[in-house]
mmCIF file of all heavy atoms in Angstrom:
data_model
loop_
_atom_site.group_PDB
_atom_site.id
_atom_site.type_symbol
_atom_site.label_atom_id
_atom_site.label_comp_id
_atom_site.label_asym_id
_atom_site.label_seq_id
_atom_site.Cartn_x
_atom_site.Cartn_y
_atom_site.Cartn_z
ATOM 1 N N THR A 321 -1.604 37.624 -23.909
ATOM 2 C CA THR A 321 -1.267 38.937 -24.492
ATOM 3 C C THR A 321 -2.206 39.088 -25.702
ATOM 4 O O THR A 321 -2.258 38.214 -26.557
ATOM 5 C CB THR A 321 0.184 38.965 -24.998
ATOM 6 O OG1 THR A 321 1.052 38.637 -23.904
ATOM 7 C CG2 THR A 321 0.536 40.319 -25.557
ATOM 8 N N ILE A 322 -2.932 40.204 -25.772
ATOM 9 C CA ILE A 322 -3.882 40.419 -26.846
ATOM 10 C C ILE A 322 -3.267 41.313 -27.942
ATOM 11 O O ILE A 322 -2.676 42.322 -27.598
ATOM 12 C CB ILE A 322 -5.224 41.015 -26.391
ATOM 13 C CG1 ILE A 322 -5.841 40.085 -25.327
ATOM 14 C CG2 ILE A 322 -6.169 41.164 -27.554
ATOM 15 C CD1 ILE A 322 -7.280 40.489 -24.977
ATOM 16 N N VAL A 323 -3.472 40.951 -29.198
ATOM 17 C CA VAL A 323 -3.050 41.790 -30.313
ATOM 18 C C VAL A 323 -4.324 42.225 -31.073
ATOM 19 O O VAL A 323 -4.967 41.401 -31.706
ATOM 20 C CB VAL A 323 -2.138 41.021 -31.296
ATOM 21 C CG1 VAL A 323 -1.611 41.964 -32.373
ATOM 22 C CG2 VAL A 323 -0.990 40.282 -30.582
ATOM 23 N N GLY A 324 -4.735 43.509 -30.913
ATOM 24 C CA GLY A 324 -5.859 44.028 -31.658
ATOM 25 C C GLY A 324 -5.363 44.250 -33.071
ATOM 26 O O GLY A 324 -4.252 44.762 -33.300
ATOM 27 N N MET A 325 -6.206 43.896 -34.073
ATOM 28 C CA MET A 325 -5.809 44.082 -35.466
ATOM 29 C C MET A 325 -6.901 44.750 -36.297
ATOM 30 O O MET A 325 -8.031 44.215 -36.397
ATOM 31 C CB MET A 325 -5.428 42.725 -36.069
ATOM 32 C CG MET A 325 -4.355 42.015 -35.276
ATOM 33 S SD MET A 325 -3.595 40.608 -36.150
ATOM 34 C CE MET A 325 -4.913 39.498 -36.223
ATOM 35 N N THR A 326 -6.590 45.891 -36.893
ATOM 36 C CA THR A 326 -7.576 46.642 -37.583
ATOM 37 C C THR A 326 -7.026 47.121 -38.979
ATOM 38 O O THR A 326 -5.816 47.281 -39.136
ATOM 39 C CB THR A 326 -8.093 47.892 -36.838
ATOM 40 O OG1 THR A 326 -9.031 48.585 -37.586
ATOM 41 C CG2 THR A 326 -6.925 48.828 -36.458
ATOM 42 N N ASN A 327 -7.975 47.352 -39.942
ATOM 43 C CA ASN A 327 -7.546 47.929 -41.208
ATOM 44 C C ASN A 327 -7.869 49.418 -41.238
ATOM 45 O O ASN A 327 -7.659 50.112 -42.228
ATOM 46 C CB ASN A 327 -8.179 47.186 -42.381
ATOM 47 C CG ASN A 327 -9.691 47.209 -42.340
ATOM 48 O OD1 ASN A 327 -10.294 47.623 -41.367
ATOM 49 N ND2 ASN A 327 -10.344 46.778 -43.428
ATOM 50 N N LYS A 328 -8.411 49.921 -40.116
ATOM 51 C CA LYS A 328 -8.711 51.366 -40.023
ATOM 52 C C LYS A 328 -7.459 52.114 -39.445
ATOM 53 O O LYS A 328 -6.607 51.473 -38.825
ATOM 54 C CB LYS A 328 -9.874 51.614 -39.059
ATOM 55 C CG LYS A 328 -11.110 50.828 -39.377
ATOM 56 C CD LYS A 328 -11.752 51.253 -40.682
ATOM 57 C CE LYS A 328 -13.069 50.548 -40.981
ATOM 58 N NZ LYS A 328 -12.978 49.092 -41.083
ATOM 59 N N ASP A 329 -7.397 53.398 -39.768
ATOM 60 C CA ASP A 329 -6.268 54.216 -39.324
ATOM 61 C C ASP A 329 -6.333 54.288 -37.788
ATOM 62 O O ASP A 329 -7.387 54.515 -37.213
ATOM 63 C CB ASP A 329 -6.316 55.615 -39.941
ATOM 64 C CG ASP A 329 -4.969 56.275 -39.966
ATOM 65 O OD1 ASP A 329 -3.963 55.569 -39.707
ATOM 66 O OD2 ASP A 329 -4.891 57.464 -40.258
ATOM 67 N N ILE A 330 -5.167 54.242 -37.139
ATOM 68 C CA ILE A 330 -5.137 54.463 -35.692
ATOM 69 C C ILE A 330 -4.065 55.521 -35.420
ATOM 70 O O ILE A 330 -3.087 55.640 -36.094
ATOM 71 C CB ILE A 330 -4.761 53.152 -34.906
ATOM 72 C CG1 ILE A 330 -3.422 52.527 -35.346
ATOM 73 C CG2 ILE A 330 -5.909 52.170 -35.006
ATOM 74 C CD1 ILE A 330 -2.960 51.382 -34.479
ATOM 75 N N THR A 331 -4.374 56.335 -34.434
ATOM 76 C CA THR A 331 -3.463 57.486 -34.136
ATOM 77 C C THR A 331 -3.116 57.594 -32.661
ATOM 78 O O THR A 331 -3.824 56.993 -31.798
ATOM 79 C CB THR A 331 -4.140 58.833 -34.600
ATOM 80 O OG1 THR A 331 -5.283 59.035 -33.793
ATOM 81 C CG2 THR A 331 -4.497 58.806 -36.048
ATOM 82 N N THR A 332 -2.084 58.329 -32.406
ATOM 83 C CA THR A 332 -1.719 58.568 -30.983
ATOM 84 C C THR A 332 -1.044 59.964 -30.939
ATOM 85 O O THR A 332 -0.692 60.509 -31.955
ATOM 86 C CB THR A 332 -0.792 57.479 -30.438
ATOM 87 O OG1 THR A 332 -0.636 57.642 -29.049
ATOM 88 C CG2 THR A 332 0.583 57.513 -31.092
ATOM 89 N N GLN A 333 -0.883 60.469 -29.729
ATOM 90 C CA GLN A 333 -0.170 61.735 -29.516
ATOM 91 C C GLN A 333 1.317 61.506 -29.781
ATOM 92 O O GLN A 333 1.926 60.549 -29.369
ATOM 93 C CB GLN A 333 -0.341 62.096 -28.041
ATOM 94 C CG GLN A 333 0.251 63.461 -27.661
ATOM 95 C CD GLN A 333 -0.727 64.637 -27.910
ATOM 96 O OE1 GLN A 333 -1.913 64.445 -27.841
ATOM 97 N NE2 GLN A 333 -0.183 65.785 -28.185
ATOM 98 N N ASN A 334 1.912 62.429 -30.589
ATOM 99 C CA ASN A 334 3.351 62.365 -30.818
ATOM 100 C C ASN A 334 3.876 63.803 -30.731
ATOM 101 O O ASN A 334 3.769 64.600 -31.617
ATOM 102 C CB ASN A 334 3.662 61.775 -32.212
ATOM 103 C CG ASN A 334 5.136 61.598 -32.413
ATOM 104 O OD1 ASN A 334 5.968 61.840 -31.573
ATOM 105 N ND2 ASN A 334 5.507 61.153 -33.653
ATOM 106 N N GLY A 335 4.498 64.137 -29.599
ATOM 107 C CA GLY A 335 4.919 65.470 -29.325
ATOM 108 C C GLY A 335 3.715 66.417 -29.392
ATOM 109 O O GLY A 335 2.730 66.247 -28.705
ATOM 110 N N LYS A 336 3.824 67.426 -30.292
ATOM 111 C CA LYS A 336 2.731 68.422 -30.400
ATOM 112 C C LYS A 336 1.579 67.857 -31.278
ATOM 113 O O LYS A 336 0.521 68.503 -31.303
ATOM 114 C CB LYS A 336 3.269 69.723 -30.915
ATOM 115 C CG LYS A 336 4.067 70.503 -29.878
ATOM 116 C CD LYS A 336 4.510 71.832 -30.415
ATOM 117 C CE LYS A 336 5.369 72.532 -29.357
ATOM 118 N NZ LYS A 336 6.172 73.611 -29.897
ATOM 119 N N ILE A 337 1.866 66.843 -32.067
ATOM 120 C CA ILE A 337 0.797 66.354 -32.952
ATOM 121 C C ILE A 337 -0.097 65.375 -32.180
ATOM 122 O O ILE A 337 0.359 64.349 -31.662
ATOM 123 C CB ILE A 337 1.484 65.578 -34.183
ATOM 124 C CG1 ILE A 337 2.449 66.567 -34.862
ATOM 125 C CG2 ILE A 337 0.391 65.135 -35.150
ATOM 126 C CD1 ILE A 337 3.436 65.871 -35.784
ATOM 127 N N SER A 338 -1.375 65.744 -32.161
ATOM 128 C CA SER A 338 -2.277 64.907 -31.321
ATOM 129 C C SER A 338 -2.747 63.691 -32.107
ATOM 130 O O SER A 338 -3.110 62.692 -31.499
ATOM 131 C CB SER A 338 -3.487 65.771 -30.832
ATOM 132 O OG SER A 338 -4.160 66.208 -31.989
ATOM 133 N N ASP A 339 -2.752 63.719 -33.432
ATOM 134 C CA ASP A 339 -3.281 62.638 -34.227
ATOM 135 C C ASP A 339 -2.227 62.036 -35.165
ATOM 136 O O ASP A 339 -2.344 62.237 -36.344
ATOM 137 C CB ASP A 339 -4.516 63.090 -35.018
ATOM 138 C CG ASP A 339 -5.770 62.884 -34.266
ATOM 139 O OD1 ASP A 339 -5.800 61.902 -33.454
ATOM 140 O OD2 ASP A 339 -6.693 63.673 -34.375
ATOM 141 N N TRP A 340 -1.241 61.418 -34.642
ATOM 142 C CA TRP A 340 -0.125 60.947 -35.450
ATOM 143 C C TRP A 340 -0.522 59.503 -35.852
ATOM 144 O O TRP A 340 -0.683 58.600 -35.010
ATOM 145 C CB TRP A 340 1.127 60.948 -34.552
ATOM 146 C CG TRP A 340 2.370 60.427 -35.190
ATOM 147 C CD1 TRP A 340 2.927 59.172 -34.947
ATOM 148 C CD2 TRP A 340 3.273 61.115 -36.084
ATOM 149 N NE1 TRP A 340 4.073 59.058 -35.668
ATOM 150 C CE2 TRP A 340 4.271 60.223 -36.362
ATOM 151 C CE3 TRP A 340 3.279 62.358 -36.639
ATOM 152 C CZ2 TRP A 340 5.385 60.546 -37.215
ATOM 153 C CZ3 TRP A 340 4.286 62.687 -37.500
ATOM 154 C CH2 TRP A 340 5.346 61.803 -37.792
ATOM 155 N N GLY A 341 -0.619 59.283 -37.136
ATOM 156 C CA GLY A 341 -0.996 57.962 -37.648
ATOM 157 C C GLY A 341 0.139 56.948 -37.456
ATOM 158 O O GLY A 341 1.298 57.274 -37.698
ATOM 159 N N ILE A 342 -0.189 55.746 -36.976
ATOM 160 C CA ILE A 342 0.829 54.793 -36.635
ATOM 161 C C ILE A 342 0.485 53.390 -37.205
ATOM 162 O O ILE A 342 -0.638 53.115 -37.547
ATOM 163 C CB ILE A 342 1.066 54.660 -35.122
ATOM 164 C CG1 ILE A 342 -0.296 54.500 -34.396
ATOM 165 C CG2 ILE A 342 1.809 55.892 -34.595
ATOM 166 C CD1 ILE A 342 -0.184 54.175 -32.943
ATOM 167 N N PHE A 343 1.542 52.558 -37.279
ATOM 168 C CA PHE A 343 1.377 51.137 -37.617
ATOM 169 C C PHE A 343 0.884 50.345 -36.458
ATOM 170 O O PHE A 343 0.148 49.377 -36.579
ATOM 171 C CB PHE A 343 2.690 50.550 -38.145
ATOM 172 C CG PHE A 343 3.291 51.216 -39.379
ATOM 173 C CD1 PHE A 343 4.534 51.836 -39.289
ATOM 174 C CD2 PHE A 343 2.566 51.184 -40.566
ATOM 175 C CE1 PHE A 343 5.012 52.450 -40.459
ATOM 176 C CE2 PHE A 343 3.070 51.808 -41.660
ATOM 177 C CZ PHE A 343 4.323 52.403 -41.646
ATOM 178 N N GLY A 344 1.367 50.685 -35.267
ATOM 179 C CA GLY A 344 1.060 49.884 -34.078
ATOM 180 C C GLY A 344 1.414 50.570 -32.789
ATOM 181 O O GLY A 344 2.223 51.568 -32.795
ATOM 182 N N LEU A 345 0.819 50.135 -31.710
ATOM 183 C CA LEU A 345 1.141 50.670 -30.396
ATOM 184 C C LEU A 345 0.993 49.575 -29.358
ATOM 185 O O LEU A 345 0.180 48.658 -29.527
ATOM 186 C CB LEU A 345 0.117 51.791 -30.080
ATOM 187 C CG LEU A 345 0.455 52.693 -28.823
ATOM 188 C CD1 LEU A 345 1.645 53.553 -29.090
ATOM 189 C CD2 LEU A 345 -0.751 53.524 -28.437
ATOM 190 N N SER A 346 1.799 49.642 -28.298
ATOM 191 C CA SER A 346 1.731 48.561 -27.268
ATOM 192 C C SER A 346 2.014 49.144 -25.878
ATOM 193 O O SER A 346 2.609 50.234 -25.773
ATOM 194 C CB SER A 346 2.707 47.490 -27.627
ATOM 195 O OG SER A 346 4.003 48.088 -27.753
ATOM 196 N N ASN A 347 1.616 48.423 -24.904
ATOM 197 C CA ASN A 347 2.061 48.716 -23.520
ATOM 198 C C ASN A 347 3.386 47.976 -23.314
ATOM 199 O O ASN A 347 3.484 46.833 -23.725
ATOM 200 C CB ASN A 347 1.022 48.223 -22.493
ATOM 201 C CG ASN A 347 -0.181 49.124 -22.475
ATOM 202 O OD1 ASN A 347 -0.163 50.229 -23.004
ATOM 203 N ND2 ASN A 347 -1.220 48.645 -21.838
ATOM 204 N N MET A 348 4.385 48.623 -22.710
ATOM 205 C CA MET A 348 5.691 48.020 -22.612
ATOM 206 C C MET A 348 6.223 48.109 -21.188
ATOM 207 O O MET A 348 6.454 49.211 -20.715
ATOM 208 C CB MET A 348 6.668 48.772 -23.552
ATOM 209 C CG MET A 348 7.990 48.053 -23.627
ATOM 210 S SD MET A 348 9.220 49.085 -24.486
ATOM 211 C CE MET A 348 9.795 50.036 -23.108
ATOM 212 N N PRO A 349 6.482 47.020 -20.490
ATOM 213 C CA PRO A 349 5.955 45.723 -20.806
ATOM 214 C C PRO A 349 4.428 45.743 -20.558
ATOM 215 O O PRO A 349 3.949 46.558 -19.848
ATOM 216 C CB PRO A 349 6.656 44.780 -19.864
ATOM 217 C CG PRO A 349 6.939 45.633 -18.673
ATOM 218 C CD PRO A 349 7.134 47.006 -19.173
ATOM 219 N N GLY A 350 3.700 44.811 -21.186
ATOM 220 C CA GLY A 350 2.275 44.850 -20.985
ATOM 221 C C GLY A 350 1.558 43.602 -21.586
ATOM 222 O O GLY A 350 2.281 42.677 -21.958
ATOM 223 N N LYS A 351 0.277 43.681 -21.608
ATOM 224 C CA LYS A 351 -0.521 42.544 -22.039
ATOM 225 C C LYS A 351 -1.281 42.881 -23.290
ATOM 226 O O LYS A 351 -2.011 41.987 -23.814
ATOM 227 C CB LYS A 351 -1.539 42.155 -20.952
ATOM 228 C CG LYS A 351 -0.853 41.714 -19.641
ATOM 229 C CD LYS A 351 -1.855 41.680 -18.530
ATOM 230 C CE LYS A 351 -2.871 40.627 -18.841
ATOM 231 N NZ LYS A 351 -3.130 39.546 -17.944
ATOM 232 N N VAL A 352 -1.159 44.046 -23.832
ATOM 233 C CA VAL A 352 -1.925 44.416 -24.996
ATOM 234 C C VAL A 352 -1.124 45.255 -26.010
ATOM 235 O O VAL A 352 -0.270 46.016 -25.642
ATOM 236 C CB VAL A 352 -3.201 45.219 -24.584
ATOM 237 C CG1 VAL A 352 -4.249 44.393 -23.927
ATOM 238 C CG2 VAL A 352 -2.804 46.439 -23.723
#
Side-chain angles (χ1 to χ4, degrees):
T321 303
I322 303 191
V323 187
M325 303 196 291
T326 179
N327 59 350
K328 306 292 184 299
D329 202 13
I330 57 172
T331 64
T332 190
Q333 182 89 30
N334 184 4
K336 285 181 182 164
I337 305 162
S338 61
D339 270 327
W340 178 259
I342 50 171
F343 298 118
L345 190 72
S346 53
N347 285 347
M348 189 193 85
K351 298 168 63 123
V352 287

